[in-house]
């Protein structure tokens, strides 16, 4: 969560923005729908995003509502500590 916290500080520097940092176990797709922007982040696990984030995307991200998410600002980041 350290990188996410640093990104949140940058978001806070924009007038009117109030970032919320959550883990996939503490959030829902409804939170995505209610957000102005979404930034997903993960550690690198064997060359992939963390299995919990991948599972959340596959199981909880409602692709049928893509018309509600396609106009949102989005970003992603990963962090790695070495060769995986």
């Amino acid at each position: 969560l350290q990188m996410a916290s640093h990104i949140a500080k940058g978001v806070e520097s924009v007038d009117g923005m109030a970032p919320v940092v959550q883990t996939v176990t503490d959030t829902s797709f409804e939170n995505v729908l209610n957000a102005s922007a979404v930034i997903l982040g993960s550690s690198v696990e064997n060359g992939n995003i963390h299995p919990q984030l991948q599972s959340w995307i596959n199981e909880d991200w409602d692709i049928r509502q893509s018309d509600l998410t396609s106009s949102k600002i989005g970003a992603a980041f990963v962090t790695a500590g070495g060769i995986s």
Side-chain angles (χ1 to χ4, degrees), residues 13-37:
S13 69
V14 178
D15 287 341
M17 289 292 160
V20 176
V21 177
Q22 295 179 318
T23 64
V24 293
T25 58
D26 296 329
T27 196
S28 68
F29 187 70
E30 187 171 329
N31 290 345
V32 171
L33 294 177
N34 293 327
S36 300

Side-chain angles (χ1 to χ4, degrees), residues 3-82:
M3 179 68 79
S5 297
H6 289 295
I7 291 169
K9 286 182 184 178
V11 171
E12 284 176 345
S13 69
V14 178
D15 287 341
M17 289 292 160
V20 176
V21 177
Q22 295 179 318
T23 64
V24 293
T25 58
D26 296 329
T27 196
S28 68
F29 187 70
E30 187 171 329
N31 290 345
V32 171
L33 294 177
N34 293 327
S36 300
V38 178
I39 303 172
L40 301 177
S42 173
S43 58
V44 174
E45 305 286 332
N46 296 318
N48 295 299
I49 63 173
H50 193 280
Q52 282 185 317
L53 178 59
Q54 185 66 61
S55 177
W56 183 81
I57 292 169
N58 291 345
E59 296 171 16
D60 296 340
W61 194 283
D62 190 351
I63 193 69
R64 294 168 297 170
Q65 296 190 43
S66 63
D67 58 321
L68 300 174
T69 58
S70 63
S71 62
K72 292 186 183 296
I73 295 170
F77 68 92
V78 296
T79 58

